[in-house]
Amino acid sequence: MKKVLLAILGILIILAAILLIKTYTYPFKKNTSGTGEGWKPVKNDSAVMRFSGGIKIPTVSTGSLGEFNYAPFGQFKEYLKNSYPLVYQHTEYVEVNQYGLVYRLKGSNAKLEPILFLSHMDVVPPGDADIKNNEENVFRPDDKPSEPVAKVAEDWDYAPFSGAVANGRIYGRGAIDMKGMLFSLMESMNNLIKNKQIPQRDIYLAFGFDEEVGGQKGAIQIADYFKKKGLKFDAVYDEGGLIMRKGNVAGVDADVAVVGCAEKGFLSAKIKVKGLGGHSSMPPMESAIGKAAVIMQRLEDDQMKPVITPLIKEFFNNIGGTMPFTTRLALANQWLLKPVLISQLTKNNTTNALVRTTTALTMMKGSDGTNVLSPEVEFVVNFRLLPGNTVKDVREHIAKATKGFDVEVEEIDNTREASSVSPTNTRAFKLIEAGVKEIYPGAIVSPYLTMAGTDAGKYEIVSKNVYRFMPIKINSPEQQSIHSTNEYLSIENYLKMIHYFEYLMKNYDK
């Protein structure tokens, strides 16, 4: 018995030694982040004012088919023309499907593939939260900047379409999503033209107008326009990643710039479950709503299998070297500890979304009476597809969950596959890294998986290098203001974003 125990102890010692050696020798990416503050913004009240004026135009998109009020979009087009006359004079300007805007700044070498920068002018509705200050035409760019908010606001500090400039911030619906990027791109191109800095390759800007409702009339039409012209882009840049402030990525003592090299797919299914209706005084043994509950429980209990994809493995390799020892131990020894690692990742809603196709029950409808049994109950389940899972996989998953019940399944909204994964060993990605280091030398830059949908995926037909990243440094509550209450972008973030995009445009071929 003693020999057996000694043998077990010996094995455990050897195993521990292997784990430790692999942890300390694992090739986590070394953080070569620099020090210092990076590029400091130069006061530019005119650029801030132009951005503020654009927020004041309520370009709201609603409805799954994009049938909304287009009058503000016409007003927005005119506003851009009046605000950036140099851009309109020195670029080839095309309108696609009336409201999609395309600009081409010719480069000096027509043999080089062009690059494309995207944004969208539409915004989501502002909601009905209270407004603390209804004062109009607030423009105080010299205010002392307030600290970033520490929690999600319940009210708007200023009206959502006021474009108020105060407290070091530009307030309004669309400030982050997505007019900040749109105006920073226009400012960047305007600066290149004004300073006579002609790039080597053509630079295109393309602005959609219905991204928030699927991009069917905007981005899809623009991408098709490019394809019909035979254009191939060396890179496409869009929204989808941010610079997360130090402390917002657990265990990482640095700012982390996450660059979306892929985005999840989308499938929303309306599932109608049939049963016996009637009066609640004589209910059947199993009602339609009870059957629906069983299906919903199946969907939540038996979700699609989690997996650490190559993209997420690269993300963990990039940030893992700065994480606590136990996390590095698990990451470095997945040959043994992968089940434990995945178990921990799936316990948190944020990291769970990185490693699996998520399941979200979002809507339900049954009887309108407290004593009435509905013969049909319907609910909606939304899946965000992990690259590697397909729409076919999800359909089979739904079929398994509904087996044994009388159901109708209807796909609603815009079903789409997960995007392709763009490589990181490209000039386009390396320039993102350089651009981030220009403004935030201490930030870790890493590829990432974008959870939400963007226009970017529509442009895979004209480029294999599609990157989703907006160089603004914000915390979690600020990020949650997108599509919520009291959305704002700091003046510092806005001015740094202008510099970042100008840096990319000027240095792409240097």
Side-chain angles (χ1 to χ4, degrees), residues 212-360:
E212 300 292 0
V213 292
Q216 299 294 310
K217 296 184 177 182
I220 286 180
Q221 303 277 351
I222 297 171
D224 188 57
Y225 163 79
F226 287 144
K227 185 176 181 181
K228 287 177 179 176
K229 285 179 65 70
L231 284 170
K232 282 286 185 181
F233 294 94
D234 194 65
V236 176
Y237 295 108
D238 193 15
E239 64 173 324
L242 304 163
I243 302 174
M244 295 186 283
R245 284 186 180 275
K246 183 167 63 175
N248 281 258
V249 179
V252 180
D253 189 30
D255 298 329
V256 181
V258 290
V259 181
C261 292
E263 71 180 59
K264 284 190 153 186
F266 183 98
L267 189 154
S268 273
K270 180 189 291 183
I271 301 176
K272 296 180 180 179
V273 186
K274 299 177 182 179
L276 289 175
H279 198 279
S280 63
S281 62
M282 294 181 290
M285 297 304 293
E286 193 173 25
S287 63
I289 198 168
K291 295 175 181 179
V294 172
I295 296 172
M296 288 189 284
Q297 197 65 55
R298 287 179 180 177
L299 288 168
E300 288 200 332
D301 288 347
D302 186 21
Q303 298 195 26
M304 297 187 71
K305 184 180 178 181
V307 60
I308 298 175
T309 63
L311 177 62
I312 297 306
K313 181 179 180 181
E314 187 174 357
F315 169 68
F316 284 133
N317 286 349
N318 283 349
I319 67 169
T322 63
M323 300 188 84
F325 174 78
T326 53
T327 305
R328 286 186 284 124
L329 179 73
L331 291 171
N333 292 279
Q334 293 184 42
W335 60 278
L336 179 65
L337 300 176
K338 182 178 281 189
V340 176
L341 178 61
I342 288 180
S343 174
Q344 291 302 309
L345 291 172
T346 55
K347 288 178 180 177
N348 176 281
N349 63 327
T350 301
T351 52
N352 178 59
L354 289 177
V355 296
R356 70 153 31 117
T357 292
T358 52
T359 303

Side-chain angles (χ1 to χ4, degrees), residues 70-293:
Y70 283 96
F73 292 83
Q75 183 184 351
F76 190 83
K77 284 197 303 183
E78 291 305 310
Y79 181 79
L80 289 179
K81 287 180 182 178
N82 293 329
S83 299
Y84 300 100
L86 275 180
V87 174
Y88 284 82
Q89 291 167 18
H90 294 274
T91 65
E92 291 181 3
Y93 169 68
V94 176
E95 294 181 2
V96 178
N97 204 13
Q98 193 173 357
Y99 297 102
L101 311 182
V102 176
Y103 308 82
R104 177 197 178 196
L105 178 64
K106 285 187 179 180
S108 59
N109 188 345
K111 295 180 180 179
L112 298 175
E113 289 186 342
I115 54 175
L116 171 64
F117 295 88
L118 306 176
S119 189
H120 61 86
M121 65 190 80
D122 61 314
V123 302
V124 298
D128 55 4
D130 291 338
I131 299 167
K132 294 179 180 178
N133 189 333
N134 279 296
E135 184 181 352
E136 296 182 0
N137 300 317
V138 177
F139 189 77
R140 304 198 307 265
D142 296 321
D143 279 2
K144 180 181 178 181
S146 297
E147 290 294 318
V149 294
K151 62 178 182 179
V152 180
E154 295 182 0
D155 307 318
W156 287 89
D157 286 349
Y158 294 89
F161 294 112
S162 66
V165 177
N167 311 317
R169 303 168 177 171
I170 305 110
Y171 288 91
R173 174 58 81 230
I176 297 177
D177 185 17
M178 183 58 177
K179 289 182 178 177
M181 185 163 170
L182 186 151
F183 277 89
S184 67
L185 287 169
M186 291 297 284
E187 293 287 338
S188 300
M189 182 168 280
N190 189 72
N191 290 342
L192 256 66
I193 294 168
K194 183 172 62 176
N195 297 323
K196 298 181 180 179
Q197 295 171 313
I198 305 302
Q200 288 194 45
R201 65 184 73 220
D202 292 357
I203 297 175
Y204 281 78
L205 308 182
F207 304 148
F209 57 89
D210 63 342
E211 190 272 349
E212 300 292 0
V213 292
Q216 299 294 310
K217 296 184 177 182
I220 286 180
Q221 303 277 351
I222 297 171
D224 188 57
Y225 163 79
F226 287 144
K227 185 176 181 181
K228 287 177 179 176
K229 285 179 65 70
L231 284 170
K232 282 286 185 181
F233 294 94
D234 194 65
V236 176
Y237 295 108
D238 193 15
E239 64 173 324
L242 304 163
I243 302 174
M244 295 186 283
R245 284 186 180 275
K246 183 167 63 175
N248 281 258
V249 179
V252 180
D253 189 30
D255 298 329
V256 181
V258 290
V259 181
C261 292
E263 71 180 59
K264 284 190 153 186
F266 183 98
L267 189 154
S268 273
K270 180 189 291 183
I271 301 176
K272 296 180 180 179
V273 186
K274 299 177 182 179
L276 289 175
H279 198 279
S280 63
S281 62
M282 294 181 290
M285 297 304 293
E286 193 173 25
S287 63
I289 198 168
K291 295 175 181 179

